[in-house]
């Protein structure tokens, strides 16, 4: 079983109350791949980088079972660069710089060798680009999930609305769900979004966990209360990688299995925030992941007797 991941591979500059890095490898697809490769192989990457993207990072990804045939390297341009600064509470950030560089001309091509994949994760990109990837699939994958952001709601709403009719799972944060629907109540926002196309909706609430909606059902996964959140960059993408990686591994796309998948996604995201960039994701092994998932079980496990 394989998982196709489409999205940015980038350099980031990040400033948090705990420190600062000027240039670290990031990008949505990078985080998704590092997280998902713990559960499913191969991860089939579709992205674009410039001449400056480190070969060691490519080798590291390959060594973890990430195929890079779908990653275009542009010899005379720089990789996408993003810079952000977090506020004191770490729940919000300001984007300081977005240098699209190679991403400005990203016209992804899905290699033939990826065509059998049954799982597709569309990272945050222009909706038209995400649509073009779905259209290239000769057989519709069993499960298509997507991320997006407020920017696309502002400048490409018609394309975004078309894309929503083509996917199974939408993963967004609470502010984005409110913006997309104009509803403050997340339950009302979820009801509206589930009429727009996706059958499943994940609303991420940062340190307050994540909600999974499907029909009239709802499930909640907390975030692990961590003493120090060092850098939240990529937590959402890491969540998506854990979620989709687990579903691809188990090949079960039922609501019940998605409940487990959002716990797995939350566990992976809890590692991501412990160090800058994807540093922590590269250090952990299966034992660390199992132990963290057990911690999550303990966190929400309680006996109650109704009298
Ligand atoms: P997250 O913290 O989950 O929102 O993801 C942060 C990652 O997304 C960073 O590593 C950035 O390189 C990448 N990123 C930021 N803005 C964009 C954008 N407009 N398009 C694609 N990737 C982006």
């Amino acid at each position: 079983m394989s998982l196709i991941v489409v999205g940015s591979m980038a350099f980031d500059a990040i400033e948090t109350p705990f420190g600062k890095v000027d240039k670290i490898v990031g990008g949505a697809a990078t985080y998704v791949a590092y997280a998902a490769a713990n559960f499913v192989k191969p991860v089939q990457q579709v992205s674009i980088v410039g001449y400056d993207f480190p070969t060691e990072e490519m080798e590291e990804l390959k060594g973890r079972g990430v195929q890079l045939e779908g990653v275009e390297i542009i010899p005379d341009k720089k990789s996408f660069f993003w810079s952000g600064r977090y506020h004191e509470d770490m729940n919000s950030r300001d984007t300081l710089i977005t240098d699209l560089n190679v991403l400005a001309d990203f016209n992804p091509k899905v290699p033939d060798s990826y065509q059998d994949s049954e799982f597709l994760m569309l990272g945050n990109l222009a909706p038209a680009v995400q649509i073009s990837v779905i259209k290239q699939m000769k057989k519709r994958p069993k499960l298509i999930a997507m991320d997006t952001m407020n920017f696309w709601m502002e400048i490409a709403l018609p394309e975004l609305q078309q894309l929503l009719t083509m996917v199974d799972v939408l993963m967004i944060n609470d502010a984005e769900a409110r913006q997309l629907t104009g509803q403050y109540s997340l339950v009302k926002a979820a009801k509206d979004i589930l009429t727009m196309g996706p059958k499943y909706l994940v609303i991420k609430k940062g340190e307050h966990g994540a909600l999974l909606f499907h029909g009239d059902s709802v499930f909640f996964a907390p975030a692990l209360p961590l003493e120090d959140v060092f850098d939240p960059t990529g937590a959402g993408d890491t969540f998506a990688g854990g979620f989709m990686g687990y579903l691809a591994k188990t090949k079960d796309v039922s609501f019940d299995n998605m409940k487990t998948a959002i716990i797995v996604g939350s566990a992976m995201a809890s590692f991501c925030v412990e160090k800058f960039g994807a540093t922590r994701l590269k250090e952990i092994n299966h034992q660390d992941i199992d132990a963290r998932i057990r911690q999550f079980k303990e966190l929400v496990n309680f006996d109650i007797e109704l009298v």
Side-chain angles (χ1 to χ4, degrees):
M1 190 48 57
S2 59
L3 165 69
I4 301 179
V5 176
V6 188
S8 56
M9 292 173 77
F11 286 117
D12 294 340
I14 306 164
E15 209 181 312
T16 80
F18 297 96
K20 197 172 171 229
V21 280
D22 289 334
K23 198 174 183 187
I24 190 167
V25 168
T30 311
Y31 286 105
V32 177
Y34 274 122
N38 289 291
F39 304 96
V40 62
K41 285 186 199 351
V43 171
Q44 299 178 310
Q45 200 83 333
V46 178
S47 190
I48 188 163
V49 295
Y51 62 84
D52 51 354
F53 199 81
T55 25
E56 309 86 72
E57 197 73 30
M58 298 288 212
E59 291 307 317
E60 176 84 43
L61 284 162
K62 273 194 219 163
R64 288 162 189 264
V66 181
Q67 290 179 353
L68 301 174
E69 198 190 331
V71 179
E72 211 180 326
I73 302 172
I74 308 295
D76 59 346
K77 282 199 177 154
K78 283 184 168 185
S79 300
F80 174 63
F81 176 76
W82 174 83
S83 156
R85 184 191 294 134
Y86 287 85
H87 299 175
E88 210 55 43
D89 69 356
M90 302 286 257
N91 280 329
S92 50
R93 70 182 179 206
D94 297 322
T95 290
L96 304 177
I97 303 171
T98 302
D99 283 340
L100 287 176
N101 301 325
V102 291
L103 212 57
D105 318 305
F106 187 30
N107 184 11
K109 285 169 214 74
V110 178
D112 282 345
S113 61
Y114 290 11
Q115 285 290 346
D116 288 335
S117 189
E118 293 197 50
F119 291 82
L120 171 59
M121 174 67 217
L122 299 167
N124 172 31
L125 288 169
V129 174
Q130 293 170 308
I131 290 173
S132 95
V133 171
I134 299 178
K135 287 193 172 159
Q136 286 176 57
M137 296 303 296
K138 292 184 183 129
K139 192 171 137 242
R140 189 192 189 279
K142 187 166 163 170
L143 194 79
I144 305 177
M146 65 168 280
D147 185 12
T148 188
M149 70 190 291
N150 49 0
F151 180 68
W152 304 119
M153 295 171 198
E154 282 149 27
I155 71 149
L157 189 59
E159 290 98 322
L160 179 60
Q161 284 167 331
Q162 186 195 345
L163 171 64
L164 286 172
T165 67
M166 302 167 82
V167 305
D168 304 297
V169 185
L170 173 66
M171 292 185 220
I172 48 177
N173 68 34
D174 42 1
E176 291 158 351
R178 290 184 172 123
Q179 180 164 345
L180 186 58
T181 59
Q183 297 279 10
Y184 186 79
S185 152
L186 291 181
V187 175
K188 285 186 182 157
K191 267 196 185 152
D192 284 2
I193 291 171
L194 291 175
T195 66
M196 296 178 188
K199 293 183 284 298
Y200 301 90
L201 169 68
V202 177
I203 299 183
K204 298 167 285 179
K205 287 159 56 71
E207 64 172 330
H208 304 297
L211 291 157
L212 170 68
F213 293 92
H214 171 60
D216 291 328
S217 308
V218 56
F219 179 72
F220 172 68
L224 197 67
L226 293 167
E227 223 164 282
D228 292 313
V229 172
F230 201 77
D231 169 23
T233 309
D237 308 309
T238 304
F239 175 96
F243 178 86
M244 286 300 276
Y246 181 79
L247 292 178
K249 175 187 173 175
T250 53
K251 298 181 207 163
D252 174 354
V253 297
S254 66
F255 179 68
D256 266 344
N257 201 45
M258 282 194 197
K259 292 183 189 176
T260 309
I262 76 163
I263 299 287
V264 173
S266 304
M268 296 310 295
S270 75
F271 285 116
C272 176
V273 303
E274 288 178 340
K275 289 193 178 170
F276 267 123
T279 313
R280 189 75 181 113
L281 294 181
K282 293 185 216 175
E283 293 172 351
I284 54 173
N285 58 31
H286 282 281
Q287 277 151 351
D288 299 319
I289 295 170
D290 289 349
R292 185 71 45 110
I293 292 172
R294 270 197 296 277
Q295 255 181 295
F296 266 84
K297 261 183 93 172
E298 284 310 306
L299 189 64
V300 289
N301 196 11
F302 60 89
D303 284 323
I304 189 162
E305 267 180 49
L306 293 175
V307 284

